[in-house]
Amino acid sequence: MAQDKTKELLERGRAMYLPVYAQREMILDHGKGARLWDIAGNEYIDLGAGIAVSVLGHQNAELIQVAIEQMQKLWHTSNVYFTEPAIRLASDLVKNTFAERVFFSNSGAEANEAAIKLARKFASFHSSSEKHEIITFEGSFHGRTLTTVTATAQPKYQEGFGPLPGGFTYCPFNDFDAIEQQISDKTCAVLVEPIQGEGGVHVAKPGFLAHLQALCQKHDALLVFDEIQSGMGRTGRLFAYEWEDNIQPDIVTVAKALGGGLPIGSMLTTERVSQVMKVGDHGSTFGGNPVITAVAGAVLQQVCSSVLMDNVKKQSDQLQMGLKELQQQKKLFKEIRGKGLIVGAELQEPWEGKAAQLSELCRQHGVLILQAGPNVLRFLPPLNITDEELQEGLQRMKSALSRV
Ligand SMILES: Cc1ncc(COP(=O)(O)O)c(C=O)c1O
């Protein structure tokens, strides 16, 4: 019965959805903590958290309570009006980060879009429209709108969508000399992920962000960090860039984890940079919706707690240890890398290019993992994953992968 229903729903979904996703052979139904169940009753350990979103796991009691209380009061107002949850979230973001001003969007791409518009406006206001170039990095991922996919320096995401917006140039990631050659007085911003997520879990080399900062200062360009995947506690600090000393970004974008599973993004910036924007220059109907900002406020509070950050460190060590044990048995990986609970395991021959098959095998053994391109298995578990959930997940993964 359940099998038939799964099959029927998959067929219907596949017949009607725009065919841009490769949905797995199950229909998820409910979750609790780091566990998920499908409609056929199969249980999975969730080591992907909906691509770094469900940071506090599924059915988090506090988030449910906050959401229900706000839903019983007010769902939506538009940005013609303020609401208290949105103002509280803005205050908490300002209190806990470098930021003095925030803009709320519904997604990561929109947060980056706001950052790109702000950088262009800032340059045209203080210099001229000639100063419009934005440098991003090979292997980056910044979103799927036409402009953010142009910022995304991976041709596979851009093919067939031209003409693309102009003014973007690409530089090799972690190449100190190349960026020095490329940046100029025409550069208005350098946009970078401190840890490239979709591009294969590549961490910025020590000193790379400081190098970018110095070059941006020299050329009067804004330093923009895309922390949509790496931020909100994923590395054990609120933002991944905070692992490097004395870094002062001009703009940081966040999304994914901020809503704990509800859609929200935010662009954070300084008073100085924000002042070029005036009423009507940018906006969003839903951005900063009261229900989501109430929930995001509760997420941020937990992410700022040392208890959660200590768990990230502890579980990161356990995850890395589990992957190393698997490596000793099977020699699957060329490299295991990452920081905190964003971890990538790059496959080596004969498994190169088989990340999709291996993650499907894991799913069949009751553990959900992600891939980052064809060669990298990616792990982004909930930040509050327990010892027991993680060990169970690792066990299932070992039993799946020991068969290959
Ligand atoms: C670093 C980074 N930036 C931007 C985005 C786009 O976010 P969204 O899918 O919410 O638009 C993503 C999504 O994976 C991301 O990882």
Side-chain angles (χ1 to χ4, degrees):
M1 266 298 272
Q3 241 47 9
D4 291 348
K5 192 172 172 200
T6 299
K7 194 162 168 278
E8 188 249 329
L9 285 170
L10 283 169
E11 274 170 14
R12 267 169 57 197
R14 285 177 180 150
M16 289 180 297
Y17 262 52
L18 193 72
V20 294
Y21 304 111
Q23 290 97 344
R24 307 301 186 264
E25 294 289 313
M26 61 180 173
I27 305 286
L28 287 173
D29 182 64
H30 63 282
K32 179 94 186 145
R35 287 173 198 270
L36 284 161
W37 287 265
D38 65 19
I39 59 166
N42 300 308
E43 185 219 78
Y44 306 91
I45 301 287
D46 182 7
L47 300 185
I51 322 185
V53 169
S54 311
V55 264
L56 300 178
H58 304 282
Q59 267 195 65
N60 182 284
E62 187 194 336
L63 301 189
I64 291 173
Q65 192 55 34
V66 168
I68 289 173
E69 275 171 26
Q70 184 56 42
M71 285 178 111
Q72 285 170 338
K73 283 168 71 179
L74 183 66
W75 287 32
H76 175 77
T77 60
S78 86
N79 280 300
V80 175
Y81 312 99
F82 275 125
T83 66
E84 197 177 334
I87 293 177
R88 267 200 265 118
L89 176 62
S91 313
D92 288 347
L93 285 166
V94 165
K95 197 165 81 196
N96 288 291
T97 72
F98 77 101
E100 293 157 318
R101 294 268 174 181
V102 306
F103 173 79
F104 292 124
S105 63
N106 311 292
S107 68
E110 287 172 77
N112 282 336
E113 191 85 24
I116 290 163
K117 284 178 75 177
L118 177 58
R120 288 264 172 86
K121 188 91 194 227
F122 185 81
S124 71
F125 184 86
H126 288 289
S127 175
S128 77
S129 58
E130 291 276 283
K131 189 177 174 66
H132 66 252
E133 280 180 17
I134 296 175
I135 301 177
T136 65
F137 292 89
E138 290 169 10
S140 60
F141 187 89
H142 299 294
R144 303 285 197 156
T145 63
L146 207 50
T147 303
T148 57
V149 91
T150 307
T152 294
Q154 298 196 60
K156 68 177 176 184
Y157 293 113
Q158 299 173 347
E159 271 158 26
F161 297 117
L164 301 173
F168 288 85
T169 62
Y170 310 128
C171 183
F173 187 56
N174 273 334
D175 187 330
F176 287 63
D177 291 337
I179 182 69
E180 198 157 350
Q181 298 298 316
Q182 197 165 325
I183 197 167
S184 76
D185 289 345
K186 283 193 172 165
T187 307
C188 75
V190 173
L191 168 61
V192 63
E193 292 160 88
I195 300 177
Q196 289 189 338
E198 302 295 315
V201 188
H202 295 285
V203 183
K205 280 185 189 158
F208 189 62
L209 301 181
H211 184 60
L212 295 184
Q213 176 165 271
L215 290 173
C216 282
Q217 277 164 2
K218 183 171 163 201
H219 293 280
D220 251 332
L222 299 183
L223 180 61
V224 186
F225 292 146
D226 178 339
E227 291 263 9
I228 287 162
Q229 189 160 151
S230 57
M232 289 300 288
R234 178 126 312 262
T235 63
R237 294 195 177 162
L238 187 56
F239 294 125
Y241 83 80
E242 292 171 3
W243 288 96
E244 200 163 318
D245 291 336
N246 302 320
I247 303 291
Q248 280 292 327
D250 297 293
I251 300 175
V252 170
T253 52
V254 285
K256 287 188 181 285
L258 179 59
L262 296 180
I264 183 170
S266 182
M267 181 197 66
L268 313 177
T269 190
T270 61
E271 183 67 27
R272 178 181 80 97
V273 174
S274 73
Q275 286 311 305
V276 296
M277 290 298 223
K278 59 182 192 324
V279 171
D281 276 350
H282 196 54
S284 163
T285 299
F286 289 115
N289 165 302
V291 176
I292 305 184
T293 48
V295 171
V299 173
L300 183 63
Q301 212 168 34
Q302 289 203 37
V303 166
C304 289
S305 80
S306 59
V307 178
L308 193 69
M309 292 304 94
D310 289 347
N311 194 57
V312 171
K313 165 94 186 69
K314 178 180 174 197
Q315 304 304 345
S316 170
D317 292 345
Q318 294 302 312
L319 176 56
Q320 298 249 4
M321 201 191 299
L323 289 171
K324 282 177 192 148
E325 280 165 18
L326 185 60
Q327 175 67 349
Q328 272 165 8
Q329 285 166 22
K330 289 296 297 181
K331 305 276 179 290
L332 286 166
F333 309 126
K334 199 182 281 175
E335 189 183 27
I336 298 166
R337 54 183 181 248
K339 197 157 191 66
L341 286 176
I342 173 167
V343 174
E346 184 168 344
L347 297 164
Q348 65 179 357
E349 277 302 346
W351 293 281
E352 235 176 83
K354 300 217 164 79
Q357 288 100 309
L358 296 186
S359 62
E360 170 58 13
L361 197 61
C362 287
R363 185 193 72 79
Q364 288 166 8
H365 284 78
V367 57
L368 302 185
I369 66 172
L370 297 164
Q371 55 181 112
N375 289 334
V376 177
L377 302 182
R378 182 171 40 148
F379 304 88
L380 299 162
L383 305 185
N384 64 352
I385 191 166
T386 63
D387 296 356
E388 191 259 324
E389 288 163 338
L390 183 66
Q391 290 311 321
E392 176 93 45
L394 286 168
Q395 211 41 55
R396 292 181 191 185
M397 194 167 73
K398 282 178 194 161
S399 95
L401 298 183
S402 64
R403 280 155 212 264
V404 297

